[in-house]
Amino acid sequence: MKPFKRWFGSKPEGEELIQQLDSDNIPNHVAVIMDGNGRWAQKRGLPRVAGHHSGMKNVKKITMAANAIGVRVLTMYAFSTENWKRPKEEVDYLMKLPMEFFPKEIDELIANNVQIRMTGWHEGLPDYTLKAIQDAIDQTKNNTGLILNFALNYGSRKEMLRGIQRLVADVKQGEISGEEIDESLFSRYLLTDPLPDPDLLIRTSGELRISNFMLWQLAYSELWFTELCWPEFKEHNFYEAIQEYQRRARRYGGL
Ligand code: FPP
């Protein structure tokens, strides 16, 4: 078994659980639907946005936990194309979170060799949101460690439809032929290209749905759900999900 790596800055909790994991069977890509921020806040008599703030702080903790065990890609579903339907004050609050998160956390993310990426549409996002993310992407572009990928202004059906439109245009222009279209070629027309498909999807807050998230990419992912709301989902819960992943036999339709 290869040894787990060291980390810099705040240490992830749950070290004893790390030692119980099989370091040769760590999911390459973990995707997370960070649900339940609003309910977490409301249960405590706080405004919904307090839940988002607490959820933002948790992004950093779980990133460090994933990094410590050698996860290569961690995708966090931060804002869906459907989330625009929420009250304006809540949307405005969510859009400002990157301006708080990155300046506060970037040094530690860099010290841990983390690369920031975004999967989603730029159109519709405020300039300040995009700038905060783009600055973080630029500052971490030479890092080679964990990819912390924010799914922001992302929706899977739109992603597939836009991909098909581009694919059809390329066929019309003779750049590719219809016969060439296979799973790997289609994947290249999705926003997640060139990231690998998630091996494990975690969804918090007890909801048992995929909610228009990576519908194509999750075809063979292991799904893991917890009743815990995102702000109360801690490092040891993340490691429990990894332990459960390691108990599953992935057969991809075979025997
Ligand atoms: C869903 O919970 C959560 C969101 C729509 C937002 C998630 C965003 C973060 C945790 C912060 C991301 C951080 C950065 C830096 C971009 P909900 O509010 O829908 O929960 P509910 O179902 O209880 O209402």
Side-chain angles (χ1 to χ4, degrees):
M1 237 169 61
K2 60 180 186 232
F4 288 110
K5 61 179 153 183
R6 315 261 350 127
W7 52 84
F8 302 93
S10 48
K11 236 177 172 187
E13 160 236 279
E15 231 185 324
E16 46 328 311
L17 279 172
I18 295 184
Q19 300 314 325
Q20 292 169 26
L21 296 175
D22 174 0
S23 60
D24 294 324
N25 184 20
I26 298 296
N28 238 337
H29 184 173
V30 179
V32 186
I33 302 180
M34 307 183 282
D35 198 10
N37 291 342
R39 274 167 285 166
W40 177 88
Q42 277 164 345
K43 265 190 262 167
R44 284 158 183 77
L46 299 167
R48 288 178 52 81
V49 293
H52 294 315
H53 195 260
S54 198
M56 174 193 77
K57 290 201 264 182
N58 211 31
V59 168
K60 149 80 177 314
K61 279 192 189 165
I62 300 304
T63 301
M64 291 305 154
N67 190 39
I69 59 166
V71 170
R72 301 294 305 145
V73 185
L74 181 67
T75 295
M76 303 297 219
Y77 203 3
F79 193 86
S80 75
T81 42
E82 289 72 35
N83 288 152
W84 293 109
K85 293 182 210 150
R86 295 188 175 207
K88 185 177 179 314
E89 307 78 67
E90 185 170 335
V91 170
D92 287 349
Y93 188 88
L94 285 166
M95 289 300 146
K96 288 190 180 128
L97 287 181
M99 291 196 297
E100 179 178 344
F101 179 80
F102 290 113
K104 205 191 274 173
E105 308 296 358
I106 200 73
D107 289 346
E108 199 173 329
L109 293 170
I110 290 172
N112 284 281
N113 202 18
V114 172
Q115 316 170 55
I116 303 298
R117 304 266 178 89
M118 175 186 152
T119 293
W121 286 278
H122 288 196
E123 69 207 29
L125 290 175
D127 290 344
Y128 52 78
T129 310
L130 277 174
K131 183 176 179 331
I133 293 177
Q134 196 55 53
D135 286 351
I137 292 172
D138 293 343
Q139 282 174 282
T140 58
K141 69 173 189 289
N142 295 324
N143 291 353
T144 54
L146 174 95
I147 293 172
L148 173 57
N149 180 38
F150 286 92
L152 192 68
N153 199 17
Y154 172 82
S156 186
R157 287 188 171 185
K158 178 170 167 179
E159 174 191 38
M160 287 198 271
L161 291 176
R162 290 267 178 104
I164 290 165
Q165 286 164 351
R166 284 174 43 230
L167 191 55
V168 169
D170 286 350
V171 171
K172 273 191 190 154
Q173 284 180 356
E175 282 173 34
I176 48 166
S177 72
E179 291 71 47
E180 274 178 272
I181 302 170
D182 61 9
E183 291 186 10
S184 111
L185 187 134
F186 181 60
S187 295
R188 297 214 300 270
Y189 284 81
L190 298 176
L191 294 177
T192 42
D193 181 63
L195 298 177
D197 290 343
D199 300 290
L200 172 66
L201 171 78
I202 295 174
R203 182 174 189 150
T204 57
S205 92
E207 305 293 355
L208 307 178
R209 286 191 291 274
I210 303 297
S211 300
N212 199 20
F213 183 56
M214 293 198 184
L215 301 177
W216 172 269
Q217 298 88 335
L218 291 173
Y220 287 104
S221 310
E222 294 297 325
L223 310 181
W224 190 85
F225 299 97
T226 172
E227 291 289 326
L228 294 169
C229 289
W230 174 247
E232 60 196 358
F233 179 82
K234 298 293 162 227
E235 290 95 327
H236 66 269
N237 305 116
F238 181 78
Y239 295 135
E240 278 160 25
I242 304 290
Q243 265 182 337
E244 166 67 20
Y245 169 85
Q246 295 191 335
R247 282 195 288 269
R248 305 232 184 129
R250 302 186 73 196
R251 289 194 290 272
Y252 302 93
L255 293 178

